[in-house]
Amino acid sequence: MQIENSERLRYEPVTKEDAQLLFDLNQDPEVMRYINGGKPSTMAEIEDFFIPRIEGFTNNDTGWGLWKVTTLASESELSDTYIGWILVRPMDFYTDNPKTADLEVGWRFTQASWGKGYATEAAKAVCKALIVHASVIEKPITHFSAIADPANKGSINIMTKLGMEYIKNDSVETPEGEVEVVLYRMSV
């Protein structure tokens, strides 16, 4: 699956060759604040845990995986700039009953890109491409869902801009243990 450029952004699947970009993004304590309390990742964590985890849910036929987001170069810039990623995987992927018609959408972006609408633009472009692609491959999508730390007002704002509605407070199991989250969802 491919995703066409949006107005300001370009999208391509994240691969293990992107380990340095993933590492660099995770070095900012503010970026990691609602992920693990602000602890930067080590390169070993990226290579030994994060990339294998991504590869475990990546499916090029369905569009699942991490989508690298870069800004399109402007006349004043010589090249595109990596600003983050959009995650796509079935909700409850790590359970015995993943919901393949209810796709989880998530994001992580550089602090320098915050407040410019990039995450919303990217999530909209990815969701739109997934809906079109799902109709072609006859794998229906009924919902898009997202979770966030209840204190992460930035991510919750993106969820509402996407048209998602609050469903419930919940908890999810993470490598650091169980964490409280809010669940938002929209019908397709």
Side-chain angles (χ1 to χ4, degrees), residues 5 7-10 70-82:
N5 293 351
E7 182 181 344
R8 304 176 294 167
L9 305 172
R10 180 169 50 91
T70 55
T71 58
L72 297 171
S74 67
E75 292 177 15
S76 63
E77 299 169 327
L78 298 176
S79 63
D80 297 350
T81 302
Y82 168 75

Side-chain angles (χ1 to χ4, degrees), residues 125-137:
V126 170
C127 289
K128 180 180 174 186
L130 286 162
I131 291 167
V132 171
H133 186 69
S135 67
V136 171
I137 64 170

Side-chain angles (χ1 to χ4, degrees), residues 11 24 59 66 72 182:
Y11 312 93
D24 292 345
N59 181 321
L66 280 192
L72 297 171
V182 290

Side-chain angles (χ1 to χ4, degrees), residues 12-82:
E12 46 190 323
V14 169
T15 68
K16 63 184 173 186
E17 284 76 34
D18 295 312
Q20 187 66 49
L21 293 175
L22 299 171
F23 173 79
D24 292 345
L25 179 61
N26 287 7
Q27 295 312 291
D28 184 335
E30 280 303 303
V31 169
M32 300 302 289
R33 179 178 184 184
Y34 298 109
I35 306 301
N36 64 13
K39 180 178 167 257
S41 299
T42 65
M43 185 55 89
E45 288 169 330
I46 297 293
E47 293 175 339
D48 300 338
F49 176 75
F50 196 65
I51 289 176
R53 189 170 168 100
I54 295 165
E55 291 173 337
F57 62 80
T58 296
N59 181 321
N60 294 329
D61 293 335
T62 58
W64 304 345
L66 280 192
W67 289 91
K68 180 170 41 174
V69 180
T70 55
T71 58
L72 297 171
S74 67
E75 292 177 15
S76 63
E77 299 169 327
L78 298 176
S79 63
D80 297 350
T81 302
Y82 168 75

